[in-house]
Amino acid sequence: MTGWVILIVLAAVIGVGLARFGRFPRGGVELLGAALLLALAGYAWQGQPGLAGRPTPPRADVARANSDYGALRETMFERFTGDAQVLTTADAFQRQGLDLYAIGVLRGALVRRPRSADLWVGMGNALVAHADGLVTPAAELAFARAAKASPLHPGPPFFLGLAYAGSGQFDRARDAWAGLLARTPANAPWRADLALRVRALDALLASDATR
């Protein structure tokens, strides 16, 4: 009943206000009254004024913390290029949990630059994030496209290994990282971190083997 009272009062206030202060042509007030009556009829037909009020629950916070991918990407990729700007934009969407937007941004950029290893790595990472950390066949294909586009680029095997490690596939992560370590120059800025990761996985896999 309260819903009806509120609706009638609002309709009356709107009708009086518009009729008094609005400028209508001849017959306009009658049309206004008809429109308000039509609104009331529609509410009577489809409305449910007897339902108890219930506040909308707050939206869950889906924002993510900065990932290793975002931090480590700068050591392996060019930083001041158009591809870097695209990846930064995709990262921003991913941190907000908007994975489909990130994928869309990367897909659009790949239409223009289909042989960009950086963009394909970004796509692989975005697909993994969208799958809640699982390395799907689509993500593996994106990383494979990145490696094919630039066979000597450290990004594809490194971030594929990072995705495998995040999904608990430590043996696959170890294979990807060990292969990259074997061809990484001694003065590469990411070599020390990579070697540490391989040793950590070796220790983890050895511990699992003795259980």
Side-chain angles (χ1 to χ4, degrees):
M1 191 64 183
T2 302
W4 278 110
V5 173
I6 294 174
L7 181 63
I8 292 171
V9 171
L10 285 175
V13 170
I14 293 171
V16 171
L18 290 176
R20 182 172 181 181
F21 300 106
R23 295 183 178 180
F24 296 97
R26 185 183 299 271
V29 175
E30 288 79 1
L31 289 175
L32 172 64
L36 291 173
L37 288 175
L38 183 61
L40 288 172
Y43 182 73
W45 178 37
Q46 293 185 327
Q48 294 178 293
L51 290 179
R54 183 173 61 184
T56 301
R59 180 182 176 183
D61 184 9
V62 296
R64 302 187 182 111
N66 291 340
S67 65
D68 286 347
Y69 165 77
L72 295 169
R73 176 168 58 81
E74 295 185 355
T75 66
M76 298 183 182
F77 295 4
E78 295 291 335
R79 299 178 60 183
F80 304 105
T81 64
D83 288 351
Q85 293 177 358
V86 171
L87 293 172
T88 298
T89 301
D91 287 350
F93 280 128
Q94 286 181 247
R95 286 196 298 273
Q96 297 302 316
L98 301 174
D99 298 324
L100 291 178
Y101 283 88
I103 292 170
V105 167
L106 290 162
R107 182 182 291 122
L110 282 166
V111 169
R112 298 186 299 271
R113 283 182 47 76
R115 294 189 57 79
S116 170
D118 290 4
L119 292 178
W120 278 114
V121 170
M123 178 63 81
N125 179 74
L127 291 170
V128 169
H130 183 54
D132 294 326
L134 296 177
V135 186
T136 62
E140 290 181 322
L141 178 61
F143 285 115
R145 292 287 296 271
K148 183 178 180 180
S150 183
L152 298 181
H153 195 312
F158 181 84
F159 289 106
L160 176 60
L162 190 65
Y164 279 140
S167 65
Q169 302 179 71
F170 301 119
D171 53 344
R172 289 190 171 187
R174 198 270 175 193
D175 290 343
W177 283 343
L180 175 60
L181 183 62
R183 63 179 176 82
T184 297
N187 61 346
W190 61 85
R191 182 181 176 86
D193 175 77
L194 178 61
L196 182 62
R197 290 172 185 267
V198 172
R199 288 198 298 271
L201 285 180
D202 283 342
L204 178 63
L205 292 172
S207 175
D208 289 342
T210 60
R211 290 179 182 176

